[in-house]
PDB file of all heavy atoms in Angstrom:
ATOM      1  N   SER L   1     -39.946  80.701  90.411  1.00 98.00           N
ATOM      2  CA  SER L   1     -38.519  80.952  90.276  1.00 98.00           C
ATOM      3  C   SER L   1     -38.252  82.451  90.408  1.00 98.00           C
ATOM      4  O   SER L   1     -38.978  83.272  89.830  1.00 98.00           O
ATOM      5  CB  SER L   1     -38.029  80.475  88.907  1.00 98.00           C
ATOM      6  OG  SER L   1     -36.720  80.965  88.660  1.00 98.00           O
ATOM      7  N   TYR L   2     -37.210  82.798  91.147  1.00 97.00           N
ATOM      8  CA  TYR L   2     -36.865  84.217  91.285  1.00 97.00           C
ATOM      9  C   TYR L   2     -36.296  84.785  89.989  1.00 97.00           C
ATOM     10  O   TYR L   2     -36.066  85.994  89.885  1.00 97.00           O
ATOM     11  CB  TYR L   2     -35.895  84.434  92.454  1.00 97.00           C
ATOM     12  CG  TYR L   2     -34.600  83.659  92.411  1.00 97.00           C
ATOM     13  CD1 TYR L   2     -33.526  84.085  91.644  1.00 97.00           C
ATOM     14  CD2 TYR L   2     -34.447  82.506  93.180  1.00 97.00           C
ATOM     15  CE1 TYR L   2     -32.330  83.382  91.621  1.00 97.00           C
ATOM     16  CE2 TYR L   2     -33.258  81.796  93.165  1.00 97.00           C
ATOM     17  CZ  TYR L   2     -32.205  82.232  92.391  1.00 97.00           C
ATOM     18  OH  TYR L   2     -31.028  81.533  92.369  1.00 97.00           O
ATOM     19  N   ARG L   3     -36.104  83.937  88.995  1.00 97.00           N
ATOM     20  CA  ARG L   3     -35.567  84.397  87.711  1.00 97.00           C
ATOM     21  C   ARG L   3     -36.661  84.573  86.654  1.00 97.00           C
ATOM     22  O   ARG L   3     -36.360  84.834  85.491  1.00 97.00           O
ATOM     23  CB  ARG L   3     -34.517  83.407  87.220  1.00 97.00           C
ATOM     24  CG  ARG L   3     -33.323  83.308  88.159  1.00 97.00           C
ATOM     25  CD  ARG L   3     -32.385  82.183  87.770  1.00 97.00           C
ATOM     26  NE  ARG L   3     -31.756  82.423  86.484  1.00 97.00           N
ATOM     27  CZ  ARG L   3     -31.022  81.515  85.851  1.00 97.00           C
ATOM     28  NH1 ARG L   3     -30.855  80.313  86.376  1.00 97.00           N
ATOM     29  NH2 ARG L   3     -30.471  81.800  84.699  1.00 97.00           N
ATOM     30  N   VAL L   4     -37.945  84.418  87.076  1.00 98.00           N
ATOM     31  CA  VAL L   4     -39.058  84.603  86.127  1.00 98.00           C
ATOM     32  C   VAL L   4     -40.045  85.606  86.725  1.00 98.00           C
ATOM     33  O   VAL L   4     -41.134  85.244  87.161  1.00 98.00           O
ATOM     34  CB  VAL L   4     -39.755  83.267  85.808  1.00 98.00           C
ATOM     35  CG1 VAL L   4     -40.720  83.443  84.635  1.00 98.00           C
ATOM     36  CG2 VAL L   4     -38.749  82.171  85.503  1.00 98.00           C
ATOM     37  N   PRO L   5     -39.678  86.880  86.778  1.00 97.00           N
ATOM     38  CA  PRO L   5     -40.523  87.864  87.462  1.00 97.00           C
ATOM     39  C   PRO L   5     -41.904  88.048  86.844  1.00 97.00           C
ATOM     40  O   PRO L   5     -42.870  88.303  87.558  1.00 97.00           O
ATOM     41  CB  PRO L   5     -39.693  89.155  87.377  1.00 97.00           C
ATOM     42  CG  PRO L   5     -38.715  88.935  86.275  1.00 97.00           C
ATOM     43  CD  PRO L   5     -38.420  87.467  86.277  1.00 97.00           C
ATOM     44  N   LYS L   6     -42.015  87.911  85.528  1.00 98.00           N
ATOM     45  CA  LYS L   6     -43.329  88.101  84.894  1.00 98.00           C
ATOM     46  C   LYS L   6     -44.323  87.045  85.374  1.00 98.00           C
ATOM     47  O   LYS L   6     -45.491  87.337  85.618  1.00 98.00           O
ATOM     48  CB  LYS L   6     -43.189  88.057  83.376  1.00 98.00           C
ATOM     49  CG  LYS L   6     -42.531  89.285  82.784  1.00 98.00           C
ATOM     50  CD  LYS L   6     -42.508  89.229  81.260  1.00 98.00           C
ATOM     51  CE  LYS L   6     -41.873  90.487  80.677  1.00 98.00           C
ATOM     52  NZ  LYS L   6     -41.817  90.449  79.189  1.00 98.00           N
ATOM     53  N   SER L   7     -43.854  85.805  85.502  1.00 98.00           N
ATOM     54  CA  SER L   7     -44.721  84.739  85.992  1.00 98.00           C
ATOM     55  C   SER L   7     -45.110  84.982  87.446  1.00 98.00           C
ATOM     56  O   SER L   7     -46.247  84.727  87.850  1.00 98.00           O
ATOM     57  CB  SER L   7     -44.009  83.391  85.855  1.00 98.00           C
ATOM     58  OG  SER L   7     -44.819  82.344  86.339  1.00 98.00           O
ATOM     59  N   ALA L   8     -44.171  85.494  88.236  1.00 98.00           N
ATOM     60  CA  ALA L   8     -44.441  85.774  89.652  1.00 98.00           C
ATOM     61  C   ALA L   8     -45.552  86.807  89.806  1.00 98.00           C
ATOM     62  O   ALA L   8     -46.433  86.676  90.662  1.00 98.00           O
ATOM     63  CB  ALA L   8     -43.169  86.258  90.328  1.00 98.00           C
ATOM     64  N   ILE L   9     -45.519  87.811  88.981  1.00 98.00           N
ATOM     65  CA  ILE L   9     -46.554  88.847  89.021  1.00 98.00           C
ATOM     66  C   ILE L   9     -47.888  88.286  88.549  1.00 98.00           C
ATOM     67  O   ILE L   9     -48.951  88.537  89.131  1.00 98.00           O
ATOM     68  CB  ILE L   9     -46.124  90.055  88.165  1.00 98.00           C
ATOM     69  CG1 ILE L   9     -44.887  90.712  88.790  1.00 98.00           C
ATOM     70  CG2 ILE L   9     -47.259  91.060  88.027  1.00 98.00           C
ATOM     71  CD1 ILE L   9     -44.178  91.676  87.878  1.00 98.00           C
ATOM     72  N   ARG L  10     -47.836  87.479  87.492  1.00 98.00           N
ATOM     73  CA  ARG L  10     -49.056  86.889  86.942  1.00 98.00           C
ATOM     74  C   ARG L  10     -49.765  86.014  87.971  1.00 98.00           C
ATOM     75  O   ARG L  10     -51.000  85.991  88.043  1.00 98.00           O
ATOM     76  CB  ARG L  10     -48.699  86.066  85.704  1.00 98.00           C
ATOM     77  CG  ARG L  10     -49.900  85.542  84.937  1.00 98.00           C
ATOM     78  CD  ARG L  10     -49.459  84.702  83.753  1.00 98.00           C
ATOM     79  NE  ARG L  10     -50.604  84.202  83.011  1.00 98.00           N
ATOM     80  CZ  ARG L  10     -50.562  83.149  82.210  1.00 98.00           C
ATOM     81  NH1 ARG L  10     -49.411  82.514  82.016  1.00 98.00           N
ATOM     82  NH2 ARG L  10     -51.648  82.736  81.579  1.00 98.00           N
ATOM     83  N   GLU L  11     -48.989  85.281  88.778  1.00 98.00           N
ATOM     84  CA  GLU L  11     -49.574  84.418  89.806  1.00 98.00           C
ATOM     85  C   GLU L  11     -50.521  85.208  90.722  1.00 98.00           C
ATOM     86  O   GLU L  11     -51.628  84.764  91.022  1.00 98.00           O
ATOM     87  CB  GLU L  11     -48.468  83.788  90.661  1.00 98.00           C
ATOM     88  CG  GLU L  11     -47.608  82.769  89.959  1.00 98.00           C
ATOM     89  CD  GLU L  11     -48.155  81.357  90.038  1.00 98.00           C
ATOM     90  OE1 GLU L  11     -49.339  81.182  90.368  1.00 98.00           O
ATOM     91  OE2 GLU L  11     -47.374  80.433  89.761  1.00 98.00           O
ATOM     92  N   SER L  12     -50.069  86.363  91.186  1.00 98.00           N
ATOM     93  CA  SER L  12     -50.890  87.159  92.095  1.00 98.00           C
ATOM     94  C   SER L  12     -52.120  87.720  91.397  1.00 98.00           C
ATOM     95  O   SER L  12     -53.213  87.772  91.972  1.00 98.00           O
ATOM     96  CB  SER L  12     -50.063  88.300  92.702  1.00 98.00           C
ATOM     97  OG  SER L  12     -49.305  87.842  93.800  1.00 98.00           O
ATOM     98  N   LEU L  13     -51.966  88.138  90.158  1.00 98.00           N
ATOM     99  CA  LEU L  13     -53.101  88.698  89.434  1.00 98.00           C
ATOM    100  C   LEU L  13     -54.162  87.635  89.155  1.00 98.00           C
ATOM    101  O   LEU L  13     -55.362  87.928  89.166  1.00 98.00           O
ATOM    102  CB  LEU L  13     -52.621  89.337  88.127  1.00 98.00           C
ATOM    103  CG  LEU L  13     -51.638  90.505  88.298  1.00 98.00           C
ATOM    104  CD1 LEU L  13     -51.246  91.090  86.948  1.00 98.00           C
ATOM    105  CD2 LEU L  13     -52.228  91.591  89.203  1.00 98.00           C
ATOM    106  N   ILE L  14     -53.739  86.394  88.942  1.00 98.00           N
ATOM    107  CA  ILE L  14     -54.693  85.300  88.763  1.00 98.00           C
ATOM    108  C   ILE L  14     -55.462  85.046  90.058  1.00 98.00           C
ATOM    109  O   ILE L  14     -56.684  84.850  90.045  1.00 98.00           O
ATOM    110  CB  ILE L  14     -53.968  84.023  88.299  1.00 98.00           C
ATOM    111  CG1 ILE L  14     -53.515  84.175  86.838  1.00 98.00           C
ATOM    112  CG2 ILE L  14     -54.865  82.791  88.441  1.00 98.00           C
ATOM    113  CD1 ILE L  14     -52.643  83.052  86.329  1.00 98.00           C
ATOM    114  N   ASP L  15     -54.749  85.073  91.199  1.00 98.00           N
ATOM    115  CA  ASP L  15     -55.435  84.874  92.480  1.00 98.00           C
ATOM    116  C   ASP L  15     -56.430  85.989  92.761  1.00 98.00           C
ATOM    117  O   ASP L  15     -57.486  85.753  93.357  1.00 98.00           O
ATOM    118  CB  ASP L  15     -54.412  84.776  93.612  1.00 98.00           C
ATOM    119  CG  ASP L  15     -53.823  83.378  93.738  1.00 98.00           C
ATOM    120  OD1 ASP L  15     -53.990  82.583  92.782  1.00 98.00           O
ATOM    121  OD2 ASP L  15     -53.197  83.079  94.765  1.00 98.00           O
ATOM    122  N   GLU L  16     -56.112  87.187  92.323  1.00 98.00           N
ATOM    123  CA  GLU L  16     -57.078  88.281  92.457  1.00 98.00           C
ATOM    124  C   GLU L  16     -58.337  87.973  91.656  1.00 98.00           C
ATOM    125  O   GLU L  16     -59.460  88.139  92.141  1.00 98.00           O
ATOM    126  CB  GLU L  16     -56.463  89.598  91.988  1.00 98.00           C
ATOM    127  CG  GLU L  16     -57.436  90.763  92.063  1.00 98.00           C
ATOM    128  CD  GLU L  16     -56.807  92.106  91.725  1.00 98.00           C
ATOM    129  OE1 GLU L  16     -55.686  92.129  91.188  1.00 98.00           O
ATOM    130  OE2 GLU L  16     -57.446  93.143  92.013  1.00 98.00           O
ATOM    131  N   GLN L  17     -58.156  87.500  90.431  1.00 98.00           N
ATOM    132  CA  GLN L  17     -59.301  87.161  89.586  1.00 98.00           C
ATOM    133  C   GLN L  17     -60.132  86.023  90.168  1.00 98.00           C
ATOM    134  O   GLN L  17     -61.359  85.992  90.004  1.00 98.00           O
ATOM    135  CB  GLN L  17     -58.813  86.770  88.191  1.00 98.00           C
ATOM    136  CG  GLN L  17     -58.194  87.914  87.403  1.00 98.00           C
ATOM    137  CD  GLN L  17     -57.495  87.435  86.138  1.00 98.00           C
ATOM    138  OE1 GLN L  17     -57.513  86.259  85.803  1.00 98.00           O
ATOM    139  NE2 GLN L  17     -56.869  88.367  85.429  1.00 98.00           N
ATOM    140  N   GLU L  18     -59.462  85.095  90.882  1.00 98.00           N
ATOM    141  CA  GLU L  18     -60.166  83.952  91.448  1.00 98.00           C
ATOM    142  C   GLU L  18     -60.944  84.300  92.718  1.00 98.00           C
ATOM    143  O   GLU L  18     -61.724  83.478  93.205  1.00 98.00           O
ATOM    144  CB  GLU L  18     -59.175  82.825  91.756  1.00 98.00           C
ATOM    145  CG  GLU L  18     -58.640  82.141  90.502  1.00 98.00           C
ATOM    146  CD  GLU L  18     -57.818  80.903  90.832  1.00 98.00           C
ATOM    147  OE1 GLU L  18     -57.712  80.529  92.029  1.00 98.00           O
ATOM    148  OE2 GLU L  18     -57.283  80.293  89.898  1.00 98.00           O
ATOM    149  N   GLY L  19     -60.714  85.490  93.278  1.00 98.00           N
ATOM    150  CA  GLY L  19     -61.495  85.900  94.432  1.00 98.00           C
ATOM    151  C   GLY L  19     -60.750  86.043  95.736  1.00 98.00           C
ATOM    152  O   GLY L  19     -61.370  86.081  96.809  1.00 98.00           O
ATOM    153  N   ALA L  20     -59.419  86.127  95.681  1.00 98.00           N
ATOM    154  CA  ALA L  20     -58.656  86.365  96.913  1.00 98.00           C
ATOM    155  C   ALA L  20     -59.048  87.703  97.524  1.00 98.00           C
ATOM    156  O   ALA L  20     -59.411  88.651  96.808  1.00 98.00           O
ATOM    157  CB  ALA L  20     -57.160  86.345  96.618  1.00 98.00           C
ATOM    158  N   ASP L  21     -58.985  87.783  98.838  1.00 98.00           N
ATOM    159  CA  ASP L  21     -59.269  89.041  99.535  1.00 98.00           C
ATOM    160  C   ASP L  21     -57.998  89.834  99.806  1.00 98.00           C
ATOM    161  O   ASP L  21     -58.018  91.066  99.819  1.00 98.00           O
ATOM    162  CB  ASP L  21     -59.980  88.745 100.858  1.00 98.00           C
ATOM    163  CG  ASP L  21     -61.315  88.059 100.633  1.00 98.00           C
ATOM    164  OD1 ASP L  21     -62.243  88.714 100.135  1.00 98.00           O
ATOM    165  OD2 ASP L  21     -61.410  86.851 100.933  1.00 98.00           O
ATOM    166  N   ILE L  22     -56.897  89.126 100.035  1.00 98.00           N
ATOM    167  CA  ILE L  22     -55.589  89.728 100.289  1.00 98.00           C
ATOM    168  C   ILE L  22     -54.550  88.847  99.612  1.00 98.00           C
ATOM    169  O   ILE L  22     -54.667  87.610  99.620  1.00 98.00           O
ATOM    170  CB  ILE L  22     -55.295  89.820 101.806  1.00 98.00           C
ATOM    171  CG1 ILE L  22     -56.369  90.643 102.528  1.00 98.00           C
ATOM    172  CG2 ILE L  22     -53.916  90.436 102.064  1.00 98.00           C
ATOM    173  CD1 ILE L  22     -56.271  90.582 104.054  1.00 98.00           C
ATOM    174  N   LEU L  23     -53.536  89.458  99.017  1.00 98.00           N
ATOM    175  CA  LEU L  23     -52.462  88.722  98.367  1.00 98.00           C
ATOM    176  C   LEU L  23     -51.209  88.737  99.244  1.00 98.00           C
ATOM    177  O   LEU L  23     -51.023  89.649 100.050  1.00 98.00           O
ATOM    178  CB  LEU L  23     -52.131  89.344  97.008  1.00 98.00           C
ATOM    179  CG  LEU L  23     -53.283  89.510  96.019  1.00 98.00           C
ATOM    180  CD1 LEU L  23     -52.805  90.239  94.768  1.00 98.00           C
ATOM    181  CD2 LEU L  23     -53.888  88.162  95.651  1.00 98.00           C
ATOM    182  N   ILE L  24     -50.353  87.721  99.067  1.00 98.00           N
ATOM    183  CA  ILE L  24     -49.085  87.669  99.797  1.00 98.00           C
ATOM    184  C   ILE L  24     -47.938  87.430  98.822  1.00 98.00           C
ATOM    185  O   ILE L  24     -48.033  86.571  97.948  1.00 98.00           O
ATOM    186  CB  ILE L  24     -49.029  86.527 100.837  1.00 98.00           C
ATOM    187  CG1 ILE L  24     -50.194  86.590 101.815  1.00 98.00           C
ATOM    188  CG2 ILE L  24     -47.698  86.549 101.588  1.00 98.00           C
ATOM    189  CD1 ILE L  24     -50.227  85.414 102.797  1.00 98.00           C
ATOM    190  N   VAL L  25     -46.863  88.196  99.019  1.00 98.00           N
ATOM    191  CA  VAL L  25     -45.578  87.898  98.376  1.00 98.00           C
ATOM    192  C   VAL L  25     -44.656  87.348  99.463  1.00 98.00           C
ATOM    193  O   VAL L  25     -44.523  87.930 100.536  1.00 98.00           O
ATOM    194  CB  VAL L  25     -44.954  89.154  97.734  1.00 98.00           C
ATOM    195  CG1 VAL L  25     -43.562  88.826  97.181  1.00 98.00           C
ATOM    196  CG2 VAL L  25     -45.851  89.693  96.625  1.00 98.00           C
TER     197      VAL L  25
END
């Protein structure tokens, strides 16, 4: 949701922890 910015940021940081090489917004 565009109204929950903290969750949006957390999503990318979790993917980084899981081993992503590049993130996308």
Side-chain angles (χ1 to χ4, degrees):
S1 168
Y2 57 81
R3 297 172 66 188
V4 191
K6 287 184 179 179
S7 179
I9 295 166
R10 187 182 180 201
E11 291 271 16
S12 278
L13 298 181
I14 288 173
D15 277 15
E16 178 175 13
Q17 293 169 3
E18 288 188 3
D21 298 290
I22 302 170
L23 305 176
I24 305 176
V25 175

